[in-house]
Amino acid sequence: LNLVFLIFIFSIIEVISFFLIKSSNDSFTRENIINDKVRGDWNIEFHPGVGISHALKDFKNSPNSESSISKNILFTEKVYGNKAKKDDLKILTLGGSTTDALGNHFSGNEGTWPDHLGLKLSKKLNQNIRIYNAGVGAATSSQESIRLFTLLNYLSPDYILSLNGINELYFLDDDYIDPNNYYASRTILGGLKAGYIIYQGKNYASSLKPTINKNINYLRLFLGKNSNIYFLLSKIKRYNSPNLENSLNYKLDKLTTNKIHKAASYWENNIINIYNISKLKNRNYFVILQP
């Protein structure tokens, strides 16, 4: 009886293991991995050089950084083309989430726009194209300036390309009224306000008093969507989205209009600075304004 019972138990374990392995293999298709990993659920950390960056584990897990030869968490480095000669055309790309090297469901599951640019240019020019993608979600033109200062001498690109403009809306936040915050990162300002700074996977908290309505997005960026705290706060927060008719009839007040003009001036000054710094190094800079 004991032997029969033991065989029965082992048989059940074997059947269960078979189905678990089968379902696991079925779920680990590339499509499912991409859908799971390329969603923009990034882990944003403090970086002493530029203010914000992705966590190292995100660079290891994202399908869009698989072919990168970079060991740096500020950018991916990819070569497009298979020419034997080494005179690669080098391009540094800057921008926010639509440029972000790790990609998301908006910027591309099977490659970001810099990836597609590299592929097309290598065929058109019959030359190897080396692209350093230093885009990062939530970046403004101010963060692009800082990244350029950090990476220009290090990478010595031939061209610098920016796709930006939309994140300048962050400059409308009250945190940017103080001109000292001109080059501050939105996520760093939010992390300080919420009492969170994450550096190399560790939390540095001065206090734990987040204002639910204002800091929910900052907490999301610093804790990630999988955080229990994020889920708890997201259930507490109430979203009151205006309907389309109200949106169309909405008129900007004078204060908001002034903030928009100030945000536009920040963008313009940053673009001029990036252009001038690039020219000083005999590099060409192009900017594409994102609507």
Side-chain angles (χ1 to χ4, degrees), residues 45-177:
E45 292 192 352
F46 171 75
H47 188 283
V50 297
I52 58 171
S53 178
H54 291 297
L56 177 61
K57 63 180 181 180
D58 285 346
F59 274 89
K60 291 180 177 179
N61 293 334
S62 173
N64 280 321
S65 55
E66 280 179 345
S67 58
S68 171
I69 57 177
S70 169
K71 304 299 181 185
N72 196 304
I73 62 171
L74 295 183
F75 59 87
T76 54
E77 179 182 354
K78 299 180 184 179
V79 179
Y80 306 87
N82 53 6
K83 304 301 176 185
K85 52 186 179 182
K86 297 296 183 181
D87 57 336
D88 299 350
L89 182 69
K90 296 187 288 185
I91 300 173
L92 171 63
T93 60
L94 302 168
S97 58
T98 48
T99 304
D100 197 294
L102 303 188
N104 62 19
H105 53 299
F106 295 116
S107 62
N109 291 347
E110 291 286 357
T112 61
W113 70 260
D115 289 315
H116 295 293
L117 176 69
L119 288 169
K120 290 190 175 184
L121 273 182
S122 65
K123 292 177 181 178
K124 185 176 181 63
L125 301 179
N126 194 28
Q127 183 179 4
N128 288 346
I129 306 296
R130 186 179 298 266
I131 291 189
Y132 307 99
N133 188 347
V136 63
T140 64
S141 54
S142 289
Q143 275 83 69
E144 290 184 36
S145 302
I146 297 170
R147 285 190 170 231
L148 180 73
F149 300 152
T150 304
L151 299 175
L152 189 56
N153 288 331
Y154 177 45
L155 299 176
S156 297
D158 300 302
Y159 296 93
I160 300 102
L161 301 182
S162 284
L163 173 64
N164 63 21
I166 194 169
N167 285 346
E168 312 311 293
L169 286 173
Y170 295 151
F171 289 136
L172 273 63
D173 291 350
D174 292 338
D175 295 323
Y176 290 97
I177 291 176

Side-chain angles (χ1 to χ4, degrees), residues 167-215:
N167 285 346
E168 312 311 293
L169 286 173
Y170 295 151
F171 289 136
L172 273 63
D173 291 350
D174 292 338
D175 295 323
Y176 290 97
I177 291 176
D178 183 349
N180 289 325
N181 295 336
Y182 184 3
Y183 282 94
S185 159
R186 170 177 174 260
T187 47
I188 292 297
L189 287 174
L192 287 169
K193 184 180 288 186
Y196 285 96
I197 288 292
I198 294 180
Y199 177 60
Q200 295 185 348
K202 297 178 182 178
N203 292 347
Y204 292 84
S206 57
S207 63
L208 189 58
K209 299 176 181 178
T211 305
I212 291 173
N213 285 327
K214 183 125 184 176
N215 294 324

Side-chain angles (χ1 to χ4, degrees), residues 227-282:
S227 165
N228 290 330
I229 297 178
Y230 169 74
F231 280 121
L232 175 64
L233 293 180
S234 63
K235 289 181 182 298
I236 295 173
K237 185 179 179 184
R238 297 291 180 266
Y239 292 91
N240 295 315
S241 300
N243 59 41
L244 180 59
E245 184 179 355
N246 288 339
S247 298
L248 292 174
N249 293 328
Y250 182 75
K251 294 183 179 179
L252 297 175
D253 57 48
K254 187 173 181 179
L255 178 61
T256 305
T257 303
N258 290 338
K259 285 184 177 181
I260 290 174
H261 283 296
K262 185 174 73 171
S265 69
Y266 283 178
W267 175 84
E268 182 181 23
N269 289 335
N270 284 328
I271 295 306
I272 291 172
N273 290 338
I274 294 174
Y275 175 82
N276 287 332
I277 291 295
S278 301
K279 278 300 179 184
L280 283 173
K281 295 292 183 177
N282 294 317

Side-chain angles (χ1 to χ4, degrees), residues 10-78:
F10 278 120
S11 299
I12 291 177
I13 293 174
E14 191 169 356
V15 170
I16 292 174
S17 299
F18 171 79
F19 281 106
L20 284 175
I21 292 172
K22 185 178 184 304
S23 63
S24 176
N25 286 339
D26 290 342
S27 65
F28 278 96
T29 62
R30 177 166 178 81
E31 182 180 357
N32 286 338
I33 291 173
I34 288 173
N35 289 336
D36 183 51
K37 296 295 183 185
V38 187
R39 296 177 305 187
D41 298 347
W42 300 311
N43 295 279
I44 301 294
E45 292 192 352
F46 171 75
H47 188 283
V50 297
I52 58 171
S53 178
H54 291 297
L56 177 61
K57 63 180 181 180
D58 285 346
F59 274 89
K60 291 180 177 179
N61 293 334
S62 173
N64 280 321
S65 55
E66 280 179 345
S67 58
S68 171
I69 57 177
S70 169
K71 304 299 181 185
N72 196 304
I73 62 171
L74 295 183
F75 59 87
T76 54
E77 179 182 354
K78 299 180 184 179

